[in-house]
Coordinates of all heavy atoms in Angstrom, one line a residue:
M1 N -7.4 15.0 -8.3 CA -7.0 13.6 -7.9 C -8.1 13.1 -6.9 O -8.4 13.8 -6.0 CB -5.6 13.6 -7.2 CG -5.1 12.3 -6.9 SD -3.5 12.3 -6.1 CE -2.4 12.8 -7.4
N2 N -8.7 12.0 -7.2 CA -9.7 11.4 -6.3 C -9.1 10.6 -5.2 O -7.9 10.5 -5.1 CB -10.8 10.6 -7.1 CG -10.2 9.4 -7.7 OD1 -9.3 8.7 -7.1 ND2 -10.7 9.0 -8.9
S3 N -9.9 10.1 -4.3 CA -9.4 9.4 -3.1 C -8.6 8.2 -3.5 O -7.6 8.0 -2.9 CB -10.6 9.0 -2.2 OG -11.3 10.1 -1.7
L4 N -9.1 7.4 -4.4 CA -8.3 6.2 -4.8 C -7.0 6.6 -5.4 O -5.9 6.0 -5.1 CB -9.1 5.4 -5.8 CG -8.4 4.1 -6.3 CD1 -8.1 3.2 -5.1 CD2 -9.3 3.4 -7.2
E5 N -7.0 7.6 -6.3 CA -5.7 8.0 -6.9 C -4.7 8.5 -5.8 O -3.5 8.2 -5.9 CB -5.9 9.2 -7.9 CG -6.6 8.7 -9.1 CD -7.0 9.9 -10.0 OE1 -7.3 11.0 -9.5 OE2 -7.1 9.7 -11.2
K6 N -5.2 9.2 -4.7 CA -4.4 9.6 -3.6 C -3.8 8.4 -2.9 O -2.6 8.4 -2.5 CB -5.2 10.5 -2.7 CG -5.4 11.9 -3.2 CD -6.2 12.7 -2.2 CE -6.6 14.0 -2.9 NZ -7.5 14.8 -2.0
L7 N -4.6 7.4 -2.7 CA -4.2 6.2 -2.0 C -3.1 5.5 -2.8 O -2.1 5.0 -2.2 CB -5.3 5.2 -1.7 CG -6.3 5.7 -0.6 CD1 -7.4 4.6 -0.5 CD2 -5.7 6.0 0.7
V8 N -3.3 5.4 -4.1 CA -2.3 4.7 -4.9 C -1.0 5.5 -4.9 O 0.1 4.9 -4.7 CB -2.8 4.6 -6.4 CG1 -1.7 4.2 -7.4 CG2 -4.0 3.6 -6.5
Y9 N -1.1 6.8 -5.0 CA 0.1 7.7 -4.9 C 0.8 7.5 -3.5 O 2.0 7.3 -3.5 CB -0.3 9.2 -5.1 CG 0.8 10.1 -4.9 CD1 1.7 10.3 -5.9 CD2 1.0 10.8 -3.7 CE1 2.8 11.2 -5.8 CE2 2.1 11.6 -3.5 CZ 3.0 11.9 -4.6 OH 4.0 12.7 -4.4
M10 N 0.0 7.5 -2.5 CA 0.6 7.4 -1.1 C 1.3 6.0 -0.9 O 2.5 6.0 -0.4 CB -0.4 7.6 -0.1 CG -0.8 9.1 0.1 SD -2.2 9.5 1.2 CE -2.5 8.0 2.1
A11 N 0.6 5.0 -1.3 CA 1.2 3.6 -1.2 C 2.5 3.5 -2.0 O 3.5 3.0 -1.5 CB 0.2 2.6 -1.6
N12 N 2.5 4.0 -3.2 CA 3.7 3.9 -4.1 C 4.8 4.8 -3.5 O 6.0 4.4 -3.5 CB 3.4 4.4 -5.5 CG 2.6 3.4 -6.3 OD1 2.7 2.2 -6.1 ND2 1.9 3.9 -7.3
Q13 N 4.5 5.9 -2.9 CA 5.5 6.8 -2.3 C 6.1 6.1 -1.1 O 7.3 6.1 -1.0 CB 4.8 8.1 -1.9 CG 5.8 9.1 -1.4 CD 5.1 10.5 -1.2 OE1 4.0 10.5 -0.6 NE2 5.7 11.5 -1.5
I14 N 5.3 5.4 -0.3 CA 5.9 4.7 0.9 C 6.8 3.6 0.4 O 7.9 3.5 0.9 CB 4.7 4.1 1.7 CG1 3.9 5.2 2.4 CG2 5.3 3.2 2.8 CD1 2.5 4.8 2.9
A15 N 6.4 2.9 -0.6 CA 7.2 1.8 -1.1 C 8.5 2.3 -1.7 O 9.6 1.8 -1.5 CB 6.4 0.9 -2.1
R16 N 8.4 3.4 -2.4 CA 9.6 4.0 -3.1 C 10.5 4.5 -2.0 O 11.8 4.3 -2.1 CB 9.1 5.1 -4.0 CG 10.2 5.7 -4.8 CD 9.7 6.7 -5.9 NE 8.7 7.7 -5.4 CZ 7.4 7.6 -5.7 NH1 7.0 6.7 -6.5 NH2 6.6 8.5 -5.2
N17 N 10.0 5.1 -1.0 CA 10.9 5.6 0.1 C 11.6 4.5 0.8 O 12.7 4.8 1.4 CB 10.1 6.5 1.1 CG 9.7 7.8 0.5 OD1 10.4 8.3 -0.5 ND2 8.7 8.4 1.0
L18 N 11.0 3.3 0.9 CA 11.6 2.2 1.6 C 12.4 1.2 0.8 O 12.9 0.3 1.3 CB 10.5 1.5 2.4 CG 9.9 2.3 3.6 CD1 8.7 1.6 4.1 CD2 10.9 2.6 4.6
E19 N 12.5 1.5 -0.5 CA 13.1 0.5 -1.4 C 14.6 0.3 -1.1 O 15.1 -0.7 -1.5 CB 12.9 0.9 -2.9 CG 13.7 2.2 -3.3 CD 13.3 2.6 -4.8 OE1 12.4 2.0 -5.4 OE2 13.9 3.6 -5.2
T20 N 15.2 1.3 -0.5 CA 16.6 1.1 -0.1 C 16.8 0.1 1.0 O 17.9 -0.3 1.3 CB 17.2 2.4 0.4 OG1 16.5 2.9 1.5 CG2 17.2 3.5 -0.7
E21 N 15.7 -0.4 1.6 CA 15.8 -1.4 2.6 C 15.9 -2.8 2.1 O 16.0 -3.8 2.8 CB 14.6 -1.3 3.5 CG 14.4 0.0 4.3 CD 15.6 0.3 5.2 OE1 16.1 -0.7 5.8 OE2 15.9 1.4 5.4
G22 N 16.0 -2.9 0.7 CA 16.2 -4.2 0.1 C 15.0 -5.2 0.4 O 13.9 -4.9 0.1
D23 N 15.4 -6.4 0.8 CA 14.4 -7.5 1.0 C 13.3 -7.1 2.1 O 12.3 -7.7 2.1 CB 15.1 -8.7 1.5 CG 16.0 -9.3 0.4 OD1 15.8 -9.0 -0.8 OD2 16.8 -10.2 0.7
K24 N 13.6 -6.1 2.9 CA 12.7 -5.8 4.0 C 11.7 -4.7 3.5 O 10.8 -4.4 4.3 CB 13.4 -5.2 5.2 CG 14.3 -6.2 5.9 CD 15.0 -5.6 7.0 CE 16.0 -6.6 7.7 NZ 16.7 -6.0 8.8
A25 N 11.9 -4.2 2.3 CA 11.0 -3.0 1.9 C 9.5 -3.3 1.9 O 8.7 -2.6 2.4 CB 11.5 -2.6 0.5
A26 N 9.2 -4.5 1.3 CA 7.7 -4.8 1.2 C 7.2 -5.0 2.6 O 6.0 -4.5 2.9 CB 7.5 -6.1 0.4
E27 N 7.9 -5.7 3.5 CA 7.4 -5.9 4.9 C 7.3 -4.5 5.6 O 6.3 -4.3 6.3 CB 8.4 -6.8 5.6 CG 8.0 -7.2 7.0 CD 9.0 -8.1 7.6 OE1 9.5 -9.0 7.0 OE2 9.2 -8.0 8.9
M28 N 8.3 -3.7 5.4 CA 8.2 -2.4 6.1 C 7.1 -1.5 5.5 O 6.4 -0.8 6.3 CB 9.6 -1.7 6.0 CG 10.6 -2.4 6.8 SD 12.3 -1.6 6.5 CE 12.1 -0.1 7.4
T29 N 6.9 -1.5 4.2 CA 5.8 -0.8 3.6 C 4.4 -1.3 4.2 O 3.6 -0.5 4.5 CB 5.8 -0.9 2.1 OG1 7.1 -0.4 1.6 CG2 4.7 -0.2 1.4
A30 N 4.3 -2.6 4.2 CA 3.1 -3.2 4.7 C 2.9 -2.8 6.2 O 1.7 -2.5 6.6 CB 3.1 -4.7 4.6
A31 N 3.9 -2.9 7.0 CA 3.8 -2.5 8.4 C 3.3 -1.0 8.6 O 2.5 -0.7 9.4 CB 5.1 -2.7 9.1
H32 N 3.8 -0.2 7.7 CA 3.4 1.2 7.8 C 1.9 1.4 7.4 O 1.2 2.0 8.2 CB 4.2 2.1 6.8 CG 3.8 3.5 6.8 ND1 4.4 4.4 7.6 CD2 2.9 4.2 6.1 CE1 3.8 5.6 7.4 NE2 2.9 5.5 6.4
I33 N 1.5 0.7 6.4 CA 0.1 0.8 6.0 C -0.8 0.2 7.1 O -1.8 0.8 7.4 CB -0.1 0.1 4.6 CG1 0.6 0.9 3.5 CG2 -1.6 -0.1 4.3 CD1 0.6 0.3 2.2
V34 N -0.4 -0.9 7.6 CA -1.2 -1.6 8.7 C -1.3 -0.6 9.9 O -2.4 -0.5 10.5 CB -0.6 -2.9 9.1 CG1 -1.2 -3.5 10.4 CG2 -0.9 -3.9 8.0
A35 N -0.2 0.0 10.3 CA -0.2 0.8 11.5 C -0.9 2.2 11.3 O -1.5 2.6 12.3 CB 1.3 1.0 11.9
F36 N -0.8 2.8 10.2 CA -1.2 4.2 10.0 C -2.4 4.4 9.1 O -3.0 5.5 9.2 CB 0.0 5.0 9.6 CG 1.1 5.0 10.5 CD1 2.3 4.4 10.2 CD2 1.0 5.7 11.8 CE1 3.4 4.3 11.1 CE2 2.1 5.7 12.7 CZ 3.2 5.0 12.4
W37 N -2.8 3.5 8.3 CA -4.0 3.7 7.5 C -5.2 3.2 8.2 O -5.2 2.2 8.8 CB -3.8 3.0 6.2 CG -2.8 3.6 5.2 CD1 -1.7 4.4 5.5 CD2 -2.9 3.5 3.8 NE1 -1.1 4.7 4.4 CE2 -1.7 4.2 3.3 CE3 -3.7 2.9 2.9 CZ2 -1.5 4.3 1.9 CZ3 -3.4 3.0 1.5 CH2 -2.3 3.7 1.1
D38 N -6.3 4.0 8.1 CA -7.5 3.5 8.7 C -8.1 2.4 7.9 O -7.8 2.2 6.7 CB -8.5 4.7 9.0 CG -9.2 5.2 7.7 OD1 -9.7 4.4 6.9 OD2 -9.3 6.4 7.6
P39 N -9.1 1.6 8.5 CA -9.6 0.5 7.8 C -10.3 0.8 6.5 O -10.2 0.0 5.5 CB -10.7 -0.1 8.8 CG -10.2 0.4 10.1 CD -9.5 1.7 9.9
R40 N -10.9 1.9 6.3 CA -11.5 2.3 5.0 C -10.4 2.4 3.9 O -10.6 2.0 2.8 CB -12.3 3.6 5.1 CG -13.5 3.4 6.0 CD -14.1 4.7 6.3 NE -13.2 5.5 7.1 CZ -13.2 6.8 7.3 NH1 -14.1 7.5 6.7 NH2 -12.3 7.4 8.0
M41 N -9.3 3.0 4.3 CA -8.2 3.2 3.3 C -7.7 1.9 2.9 O -7.4 1.6 1.7 CB -7.1 4.1 3.9 CG -7.5 5.5 4.2 SD -6.3 6.4 5.3 CE -4.9 6.6 4.2
K42 N -7.4 1.0 3.9 CA -6.9 -0.3 3.6 C -7.9 -1.1 2.7 O -7.5 -1.8 1.7 CB -6.6 -1.1 4.8 CG -5.4 -0.5 5.6 CD -5.0 -1.3 6.8 CE -5.7 -0.8 8.0 NZ -5.3 -1.2 9.3
S43 N -9.1 -1.1 3.0 CA -10.1 -1.8 2.3 C -10.2 -1.2 0.8 O -10.2 -2.0 -0.1 CB -11.5 -1.6 2.9 OG -12.5 -2.2 2.1
M44 N -10.1 0.1 0.6 CA -10.2 0.7 -0.7 C -9.0 0.2 -1.5 O -9.1 -0.1 -2.7 CB -10.3 2.2 -0.6 CG -10.5 2.8 -1.9 SD -10.6 4.7 -1.9 CE -12.2 4.9 -1.1
I45 N -7.8 0.3 -1.0 CA -6.6 0.0 -1.7 C -6.5 -1.5 -2.0 O -6.1 -1.9 -3.1 CB -5.3 0.5 -1.1 CG1 -4.1 0.5 -2.1 CG2 -4.9 -0.4 0.1 CD1 -4.1 1.7 -3.0
L46 N -7.0 -2.4 -1.1 CA -7.0 -3.8 -1.4 C -8.1 -4.2 -2.4 O -7.8 -5.0 -3.3 CB -7.2 -4.6 -0.1 CG -6.1 -4.6 0.9 CD1 -6.5 -5.2 2.2 CD2 -4.8 -5.2 0.3
S47 N -9.2 -3.5 -2.4 CA -10.2 -3.7 -3.5 C -9.6 -3.3 -4.8 O -9.9 -3.9 -5.9 CB -11.5 -2.9 -3.2 OG -12.1 -3.4 -2.0
H48 N -8.9 -2.2 -4.8 CA -8.3 -1.7 -6.1 C -7.3 -2.8 -6.6 O -7.2 -3.0 -7.8 CB -7.6 -0.4 -5.8 CG -6.9 0.2 -7.0 ND1 -7.6 0.5 -8.2 CD2 -5.6 0.4 -7.3 CE1 -6.7 1.0 -9.1 NE2 -5.5 0.9 -8.6
L49 N -6.5 -3.3 -5.7 CA -5.5 -4.4 -6.1 C -6.3 -5.5 -6.7 O -5.9 -6.1 -7.7 CB -4.7 -4.8 -4.8 CG -3.7 -6.0 -5.1 CD1 -2.6 -5.5 -6.0 CD2 -3.2 -6.4 -3.7
D50 N -7.4 -5.9 -6.1 CA -8.2 -7.1 -6.6 C -8.8 -6.8 -8.0 O -9.0 -7.7 -8.8 CB -9.3 -7.4 -5.6 CG -8.9 -8.0 -4.3 OD1 -7.7 -8.4 -4.2 OD2 -9.7 -7.9 -3.3
A51 N -9.0 -5.5 -8.2 CA -9.6 -5.1 -9.5 C -8.5 -4.9 -10.6 O -8.8 -4.4 -11.7 CB -10.4 -3.8 -9.3
G52 N -7.3 -5.2 -10.3 CA -6.2 -5.1 -11.3 C -5.1 -4.2 -10.8 O -4.0 -4.3 -11.3
G53 N -5.4 -3.3 -9.9 CA -4.3 -2.5 -9.3 C -3.7 -1.5 -10.2 O -2.4 -1.3 -10.0
E54 N -4.4 -0.9 -11.1 CA -3.8 0.0 -12.0 C -3.0 1.1 -11.3 O -3.5 1.7 -10.3 CB -4.9 0.7 -12.8 CG -4.4 1.7 -13.9 CD -5.5 2.3 -14.7 OE1 -6.6 1.8 -14.7 OE2 -5.2 3.3 -15.4
G55 N -1.8 1.3 -11.7 CA -1.0 2.4 -11.1 C -0.1 2.0 -10.0 O 0.8 2.7 -9.5
L56 N -0.3 0.8 -9.4 CA 0.4 0.3 -8.3 C 1.8 -0.3 -8.8 O 1.8 -1.1 -9.7 CB -0.3 -0.8 -7.5 CG -1.6 -0.4 -6.8 CD1 -2.3 -1.6 -6.3 CD2 -1.3 0.6 -5.7
S57 N 2.9 0.1 -8.1 CA 4.2 -0.4 -8.5 C 4.3 -1.9 -8.0 O 3.5 -2.3 -7.2 CB 5.3 0.4 -7.8 OG 5.3 0.2 -6.4
P58 N 5.2 -2.6 -8.6 CA 5.4 -4.0 -8.2 C 5.7 -4.1 -6.7 O 5.3 -5.0 -6.0 CB 6.6 -4.5 -9.0 CG 6.5 -3.7 -10.3 CD 6.0 -2.3 -9.8
A59 N 6.5 -3.1 -6.2 CA 6.9 -3.1 -4.8 C 5.6 -2.9 -3.9 O 5.5 -3.5 -2.9 CB 7.9 -2.1 -4.5
T60 N 4.8 -2.0 -4.4 CA 3.5 -1.8 -3.6 C 2.6 -3.0 -3.6 O 2.0 -3.3 -2.6 CB 2.8 -0.5 -4.2 OG1 3.7 0.6 -4.2 CG2 1.6 -0.2 -3.4
R61 N 2.5 -3.6 -4.8 CA 1.7 -4.9 -4.9 C 2.2 -5.9 -3.9 O 1.4 -6.6 -3.2 CB 1.8 -5.4 -6.3 CG 1.0 -4.6 -7.3 CD 1.3 -5.1 -8.7 NE 0.6 -4.2 -9.7 CZ -0.6 -4.4 -10.2 NH1 -1.3 -5.4 -9.7 NH2 -1.1 -3.6 -11.0
A62 N 3.5 -6.1 -3.8 CA 4.1 -7.0 -2.9 C 3.7 -6.7 -1.4 O 3.3 -7.5 -0.6 CB 5.6 -7.1 -3.0
A63 N 3.8 -5.4 -1.1 CA 3.5 -4.9 0.2 C 2.0 -5.1 0.5 O 1.6 -5.6 1.7 CB 3.8 -3.4 0.4
L64 N 1.2 -4.9 -0.4 CA -0.3 -5.0 -0.2 C -0.7 -6.5 0.0 O -1.6 -6.8 0.7 CB -1.1 -4.4 -1.3 CG -1.0 -2.9 -1.4 CD1 -1.7 -2.4 -2.6 CD2 -1.6 -2.3 -0.1
G65 N 0.1 -7.4 -0.6 CA -0.1 -8.8 -0.4 C 0.2 -9.1 1.1 O -0.6 -9.9 1.7
K66 N 1.2 -8.5 1.7 CA 1.5 -8.7 3.1 C 0.4 -8.0 4.0 O 0.1 -8.5 5.1 CB 2.9 -8.2 3.4 CG 4.0 -9.0 2.7 CD 5.3 -8.5 3.0 CE 6.4 -9.3 2.3 NZ 6.4 -10.7 2.7
V67 N -0.1 -6.9 3.6 CA -1.2 -6.2 4.3 C -2.4 -7.2 4.4 O -3.0 -7.4 5.4 CB -1.6 -4.9 3.6 CG1 -2.9 -4.3 4.3 CG2 -0.5 -3.9 3.8
R68 N -2.7 -7.8 3.2 CA -3.9 -8.7 3.2 C -3.6 -9.9 4.1 O -4.5 -10.3 4.9 CB -4.1 -9.2 1.8 CG -5.3 -10.1 1.7 CD -5.6 -10.6 0.3 NE -5.5 -9.6 -0.7 CZ -6.5 -8.8 -1.1 NH1 -7.7 -8.9 -0.5 NH2 -6.4 -7.9 -2.0
A69 N -2.4 -10.4 4.1 CA -2.1 -11.6 5.0 C -2.2 -11.2 6.4 O -2.6 -12.0 7.2 CB -0.6 -12.1 4.6
A70 N -1.7 -10.0 6.8 CA -1.8 -9.5 8.2 C -3.3 -9.4 8.6 O -3.6 -9.7 9.8 CB -1.1 -8.2 8.3
A71 N -4.1 -9.0 7.7 CA -5.6 -8.8 8.0 C -6.2 -10.2 8.3 O -7.2 -10.3 9.0 CB -6.3 -8.1 6.9
H72 N -5.7 -11.2 7.7 CA -6.3 -12.6 7.8 C -5.6 -13.4 8.9 O -5.9 -14.6 9.0 CB -6.3 -13.3 6.5 CG -7.2 -12.6 5.5 ND1 -8.6 -12.7 5.6 CD2 -6.9 -11.9 4.4 CE1 -9.1 -12.0 4.6 NE2 -8.1 -11.5 3.8
A73 N -4.6 -12.8 9.5 CA -3.8 -13.6 10.5 C -4.5 -13.6 11.9 O -5.3 -12.9 12.2 CB -2.4 -13.0 10.6

């Protein structure tokens, strides 16, 4: 598994673990990524999303949209 595959796996796992939070899941997933991932990791996963986001779950995609918004706030 390469670095990008690991990031996709980790992001999907975070989103999956928080899916029981309902409407707050994407926000909580994004908050976790913003708080605990280093800038290189965030940049890599956002670039992957921009390139089509292969392997990212819908919940993870929603969370990454919030990560991007937080970066531009």
